[in-house]
Amino acid sequence: MLPGTISVISFLVLSLALAMTSARDTKLEAVWKGNTEFAKKLYHALSKEKGNIFFSPLSVHAVLSMLHQGSKGKTQQTLGDVLELPGLRESAKGYERVMKSLNSVKDVTLLIANKIYIQNRYAFKDNFASTISKNFLSEVQSLDFAKSKEAAKTINTWVEGKTNNRIKNLVKPQDLNEQTRLVLVNAIYFQGIWEYPFSPSMTKSHKFYINGKDSIDVQMMRLIQTLYYKEDENLDSKVLELPYRNNNLSMIIILPNKRNGIAELEEKLYTVDMSTITQHMHRPEVSVHLPKFKIEATIDLNKPLTDIGLGEIFSSSADLSGMIQSPQPLQVSKVIQKAFIEVNERGTEAAAATHNVMVSHSRPLETADFVADHSFVVLLQAKKENLKTILFQGRIVKPQ
C-alpha cells in the first residue's frame, strides 16, 4: 500500500491593501524576518520561468509552517532552515501574532484564514491539533477524500467564501484520492485603495516594452505626487513606494533602467537584504506612469520548493509523524498556490469609497520621472517600526 499523502494548497487573492499593528513583538519579528528571507529564495526559483510572476510568500510560508509543527527529525530541521524559522514553540507563537495582527487591520478589507481537512478515518495527534487550532487559528474538517468530487467541492466552496468568490475550482477531483490524508489550506483576501488615487481621466494608451524592442499597447495610469523614491546604483534601477490608505502597507516598484534589464535585476535582488530596499529614499515630486494590470495564475510549487531545498517533504523519507495518528508514513503530494492581483486607479476594483487628499501646490525643489513602460519587479511590503517584510512579490513582464 502506498504511503499517505498531504496536499498543501496555498490560496491568494489580492486586490491591494494591508496594515499591521505597531507594538514591538520579538516572536512576530522572527516570523516576519523568516518570511522575508524565504520570499527571496522562492522568488529566485520562480524567476527562472518566463512571463509574469505573482505569488504570496506569506501564504506559502504559513502552510509550510503548519507542516513544520508536525514534522520530526531531519524533516523538521530542513523545514526550519529553509523557512528561516526559530524553534517550534517560538514560530507557533509568532504565527499566532501574525494571524491576530493581519485580521485586525484598519482602513482595509483583509482576511487571512487557515484550514486543515483530514481523512475521516484518521485523527490528529493532540499536540499538533492544539498548536494548529490555538496558534495558527486553523479550522478543522473531516472529509472522505476517496469521494474526490464531493471533497473537492467542499474545499473549493470554503475557499470561494473566504476570497469573495475570486478563487474558484482550484482543487480538482484528480488532486484527491483514497491515499490523501490531509489538505492544508491558507487563504488570503485583500481589498484597499491608494493613499493617492490615480485619476481615471489621466489614463491613456501607452507603449509597454516586453523586451528590448518589441512593445504592446497598455492602459497607462499617471500620477504626480510627492512620494518616496530613489535611484539605486547597485541595482541599476529606480525604486518607488506607493502607499495605501493604511500607510503600514505600500507597493514597492523596482524598475530597471534598461528596458531589457529585468534578468540582471533579479540576479542582484537575490544577493541583497530585501528589507533594505526602501532605505535612503527621499521625497521629490514624482511623475508616475504605471500600467493597469490584472494577473491570475495557478502555480505548482513542487519544483521551486525542491529547488530551494525542500525536496524531502515530497519523498518517502519525509518524517511527518507528529501530525496524525496513522500507521502509514506521510509525504506531501502537492503544494499549489493560486494568486490574483488587479492594479487600477483606485487601488482595487471593489473599493466602496474614494479618498480625497489635499495636496500642497507649492512645488518641491526636486522632481523625478518614473515611467514603468518595461518589465519591473513589484513588492507589497508591510512595515512595523523598523521591521519590514514582503507579503507579495511579482514580476510584470506583460500587463494584461
Side-chain angles (χ1 to χ4, degrees):
M1 183 177 293
L2 295 172
T5 61
I6 304 172
S7 293
V8 184
I9 305 178
S10 172
F11 303 93
L12 162 71
V13 174
L14 173 64
S15 288
L16 302 178
L18 173 74
M20 304 297 289
T21 56
S22 60
R24 191 173 190 275
D25 187 315
T26 56
K27 294 182 176 64
L28 176 63
E29 288 180 10
V31 172
W32 273 26
K33 289 178 180 178
N35 176 63
T36 297
E37 289 303 307
F38 174 74
K40 183 167 66 174
K41 297 174 193 174
L42 186 54
Y43 181 84
H44 189 253
L46 291 170
S47 69
K48 303 305 179 185
E49 300 297 323
K50 295 181 179 179
N52 294 327
I53 298 171
F54 196 78
F55 72 106
S56 168
L58 178 66
S59 188
V60 184
H61 197 269
V63 287
L64 294 180
S65 293
M66 289 194 287
L67 196 71
H68 179 237
Q69 294 292 324
S71 63
K72 292 185 176 181
K74 181 182 176 183
T75 304
Q76 184 182 111
Q77 182 67 46
T78 299
L79 280 162
D81 290 345
V82 175
L83 297 175
E84 303 273 351
L85 289 170
L88 290 181
R89 182 178 177 82
E90 291 80 3
S91 59
K93 288 288 187 180
Y95 256 103
E96 183 177 357
R97 307 289 197 275
V98 168
M99 295 295 295
K100 289 178 179 178
S101 295
L102 288 173
N103 284 313
S104 61
V105 299
K106 297 179 180 180
D107 298 325
V108 299
T109 300
L110 169 64
L111 169 71
I112 177 169
N114 294 314
K115 189 161 186 177
I116 298 183
Y117 296 90
I118 185 171
Q119 173 60 254
N120 58 13
R121 299 189 305 276
Y122 293 85
F124 289 112
K125 291 190 173 179
D126 291 342
N127 287 343
F128 181 75
S130 175
T131 298
I132 295 305
S133 175
K134 178 183 177 182
N135 300 112
F136 289 82
L137 310 186
S138 180
E139 302 174 37
V140 175
Q141 183 175 344
S142 296
L143 288 179
D144 183 358
F145 294 120
K147 297 179 179 179
S148 58
K149 186 175 181 180
E150 291 85 349
K153 182 178 179 181
T154 297
I155 297 170
N156 287 332
T157 298
W158 181 83
V159 172
E160 289 174 21
K162 294 297 184 182
T163 62
N164 199 27
N165 296 312
R166 273 296 182 187
I167 297 294
K168 295 178 179 288
N169 302 318
L170 180 75
V171 180
K172 301 178 176 61
Q174 55 266 35
D175 292 333
L176 309 171
N177 56 49
E178 65 279 1
Q179 297 300 324
T180 304
R181 298 292 176 263
L182 295 172
V183 175
L184 289 78
V185 180
N186 173 272
I188 305 178
Y189 180 69
F190 295 93
Q191 287 185 333
I193 60 176
W194 302 115
E195 175 70 11
Y196 308 114
F198 293 79
S199 172
S201 65
M202 299 283 282
T203 300
K204 307 292 182 185
S205 180
H206 197 282
K207 289 187 181 298
F208 186 93
Y209 292 88
I210 56 177
N211 53 42
K213 59 179 181 177
D214 298 318
S215 66
I216 59 173
D217 290 331
V218 300
Q219 288 295 295
M220 188 73 76
M221 304 182 296
R222 189 180 178 196
L223 173 70
I224 301 177
Q225 184 59 254
T226 303
L227 298 165
Y228 282 107
Y229 165 92
K230 72 174 179 180
E231 290 271 0
D232 193 312
E233 294 183 3
N234 180 49
L235 296 177
D236 191 19
S237 300
K238 296 178 175 68
V239 182
L240 178 70
E241 182 172 5
L242 291 171
Y244 291 97
R245 180 174 286 186
N246 188 317
N247 292 150
N248 287 318
L249 185 106
S250 57
M251 175 178 279
I252 310 301
I253 303 170
I254 309 172
L255 178 70
N257 288 323
K258 302 173 187 174
R259 283 182 181 170
N260 60 350
I262 191 70
E264 183 179 341
L265 169 61
E266 289 173 331
E267 286 301 316
K268 289 179 178 179
L269 288 175
Y270 188 55
T271 66
V272 303
D273 180 350
M274 296 299 290
S275 66
T276 66
I277 290 294
T278 55
Q279 288 183 352
H280 310 302
M281 298 182 83
H282 54 287
R283 285 175 61 87
E285 183 180 80
V286 187
S287 176
V288 181
H289 291 72
L290 180 67
K292 296 172 64 171
F293 60 89
K294 181 192 294 186
I295 296 173
E296 183 173 354
T298 301
I299 308 172
D300 184 337
L301 290 167
N302 286 34
K303 185 179 185 303
L305 290 175
T306 297
D307 290 345
I308 65 174
L310 285 179
E312 182 177 342
I313 67 173
F314 303 106
S315 74
S316 59
S317 63
D319 187 349
L320 302 170
S321 57
M323 302 182 76
I324 66 174
Q325 298 173 16
S326 171
Q328 299 170 319
L330 295 172
Q331 66 189 68
V332 175
S333 58
K334 291 185 179 182
V335 180
I336 304 169
Q337 182 177 88
K338 189 167 187 177
F340 172 91
I341 179 174
E342 178 167 5
V343 174
N344 59 29
E345 291 90 352
R346 296 168 70 185
T348 74
E349 63 176 7
T354 59
H355 180 56
N356 295 322
V357 179
M358 301 303 293
V359 181
S360 170
H361 290 284
S362 60
R363 190 171 183 83
L365 295 177
E366 281 189 274
T367 62
D369 290 322
F370 189 92
V371 183
D373 65 353
H374 54 278
S375 301
F376 55 88
V377 170
V378 58
L379 315 172
L380 264 76
Q381 174 180 268
K383 56 189 175 183
K384 177 183 173 184
E385 297 179 348
N386 294 323
L387 182 69
K388 301 170 184 176
T389 197
I390 297 169
L391 302 180
F392 311 97
Q393 186 165 352
R395 175 180 69 201
I396 308 304
V397 174
K398 190 176 182 180
Q400 299 173 340

